[in-house]
Amino acid sequence: MIVRHEQPADRPRIFELVAEAFAAPAGSGADGAAGGAGEPAEVGLLAQLFDGADYLPALSLVAERDGRVDGHVICTRGWIDGFRAVGLGPLAVSPDAQREGVGIALMEAVIAGAEAEGEPAILLLGSTEYYPRFGFVPASSLGIQAPDLAWGENFMALPLASFHSGIRGPFRYAAPFNNL
Ligand SMILES: CC(C)(COP(=O)(O)OP(=O)(O)OC[C@H]1O[C@@H](n2cnc3c(N)ncnc32)[C@H](O)[C@@H]1OP(=O)(O)O)[C@@H](O)C(=O)NCCC(=O)NCCS
């Protein structure tokens, strides 16, 4: 497996795998409903993030195996009460490639990349089953508030080497997240 920066030629495959990864289960009632032809909201979000001013190309990575892109992660600029930080997501792995270590490889690479960039912290909304293995903790335990307090412990933070206790307060994602 190779984890590398995404290239323009990767975009069609990235949108395809993100659509598949976030597709509503058939018969759930959420498929084919609002949003246009059942396209998951993450696809439109990703398109806006790619085109937005807060896109961080150094932290947009793909995992490639046997010449096929099987997973993607994107990060965008966010802010913790005036301190810069990284907002992570969406992270997606093609359904036919899940549970084979692709997501873990992408997460480890993007965390190392953010550390190398001198970023103080990574914030995300996600599963409390998945992200603690990388060191993520509830953001509230660091004094960082989610944009929506209802997210509770699913809004998580990974403090990096340059993090310090003065970095606290409300977190603000890149603008496209407000359109969800
Ligand atoms: C979540 C996701 C990125 C994980 O990537 P992956 O390549 O499948 O996972 P990995 O192989 O790297 O890690 C496997 C381990 O992660 C855990 N895991 C995988 N998917 C999980 C999920 N959806 N929720 C909680 N834990 C999960 C399991 O413990 C698994 O270990 P196991 O197979 O021994 O039980 C991928 O399943 C995916 O794209 N899902 C759909 C989209 C999504 O939910 N994105 C993340 C939003 S938080």
Side-chain angles (χ1 to χ4, degrees):
M1 186 187 330
I2 303 167
V3 177
R4 58 170 176 77
H5 293 128
E6 61 118 351
Q7 304 295 324
D10 297 322
R11 291 282 176 91
R13 172 61 186 148
I14 290 172
F15 285 119
E16 180 181 64
L17 78 86
V18 169
E20 291 171 358
F22 286 98
S28 69
D31 51 323
E39 183 179 86
E42 287 80 2
V43 175
L45 171 64
L46 189 59
Q48 291 182 54
L49 294 176
F50 278 142
D51 289 343
D54 293 319
Y55 170 53
L56 298 175
L59 300 177
S60 180
L61 308 177
V62 294
E64 183 181 320
R65 300 189 303 178
D66 300 327
R68 191 184 86 145
V69 170
D70 280 339
H72 174 252
V73 64
I74 186 171
C75 293
T76 44
R77 171 62 60 224
W79 299 93
I80 305 170
D81 198 23
F83 292 96
R84 71 174 184 152
V86 170
L88 187 150
L91 163 70
V93 174
S94 181
D96 62 4
Q98 290 179 2
R99 301 210 166 215
E100 295 175 5
V102 175
I104 288 173
L106 282 167
M107 285 300 299
E108 289 179 345
V110 83
I111 290 167
E115 191 70 272
E117 296 278 324
E119 299 286 351
I122 302 174
L123 286 297
L124 60 79
L125 174 63
S127 165
T128 55
E129 301 286 310
Y130 191 64
Y131 293 101
R133 76 189 67 204
F134 306 109
F136 282 83
V137 296
S140 58
S141 70
L142 299 172
I144 302 168
Q145 288 110 44
D148 182 342
L149 294 181
W151 293 352
E153 302 219 324
N154 291 108
F155 186 63
M156 288 174 273
L158 178 67
L160 301 175
S162 64
F163 186 80
H164 59 80
S165 60
I167 301 177
R168 56 198 297 123
F171 179 73
R172 178 163 56 86
Y173 269 113
F177 283 92
N178 298 329
N179 303 331
L180 279 178

